[in-house]
Amino acid sequence: MQQDQSLDNVRLDIEAVGFTLTDDLRVSVLDALSKLQRFYKGDVITADVYLKVEPNQRSNEKHVGIKYGVPGNDVYADESGDNWYALIHSVVGKLQRQLEKRFGNHTNANRANLDEIDPASLV
């Protein structure tokens, strides 16, 4: 199942493989990605979310992967386990650390200040 959504001008693609995506899980993904936007104030182009159930002999293991499209190289994180919500939280935490490492709080702070400047006042 594939669903295209919009998250503040970000092209969002949620793909569920091996199961039907519930509204509750979709809302959880959207909430997690909106929280991630608070840690990176730059341009986000795409967010691709992969949710997959991998059946094996012991149990049905769940897999979550998120590719966050930012200028330069995209950031990607994934995790496997048995709880969708814990996996989403873990993957978003990994993405947050990657964004902070790459762009740093200093870059994000300057970006926020530049966005607030009125270009007409610079003339």
Side-chain angles (χ1 to χ4, degrees):
M1 175 179 212
Q2 184 173 351
Q3 293 190 5
D4 291 327
Q5 306 267 335
S6 178
L7 183 69
D8 295 334
N9 297 324
V10 175
R11 187 187 61 76
L12 175 63
D13 181 28
I14 300 175
E15 189 171 335
V17 178
F19 72 103
T20 302
L21 183 66
T22 64
D23 288 337
D24 190 36
L25 188 56
R26 183 181 54 78
V27 167
S28 179
V29 168
L30 292 173
D31 288 344
L33 290 175
S34 66
K35 290 177 185 175
L36 189 59
Q37 284 185 321
R38 289 188 285 172
F39 296 102
Y40 174 67
K41 293 180 175 60
D43 297 327
V44 177
I45 303 163
T46 62
D48 296 322
V49 181
Y50 306 101
L51 306 168
K52 184 176 181 181
V53 174
E54 299 179 15
N56 61 26
Q57 297 167 347
R58 295 186 326 199
S59 66
N60 290 336
E61 187 167 285
K62 297 167 177 67
H63 181 81
V64 174
I66 299 176
K67 183 173 93 172
Y68 209 56
V70 295
N73 294 333
D74 296 342
V75 293
Y76 177 79
D78 63 348
E79 186 85 30
S80 295
D82 59 353
N83 184 331
W84 286 120
Y85 304 103
L87 291 173
I88 292 168
H89 179 72
S90 176
V91 169
V92 167
K94 288 180 180 181
L95 290 173
Q96 175 188 340
R97 287 187 292 278
Q98 288 181 39
L99 290 170
E100 287 174 348
K101 184 176 180 180
R102 182 190 293 174
F103 297 103
N105 292 333
H106 181 69
T107 303
N108 285 338
N110 289 339
R111 175 65 187 234
N113 293 338
L114 288 175
D115 288 341
E116 295 170 0
I117 295 174
D118 180 19
S121 67
L122 299 174
V123 179

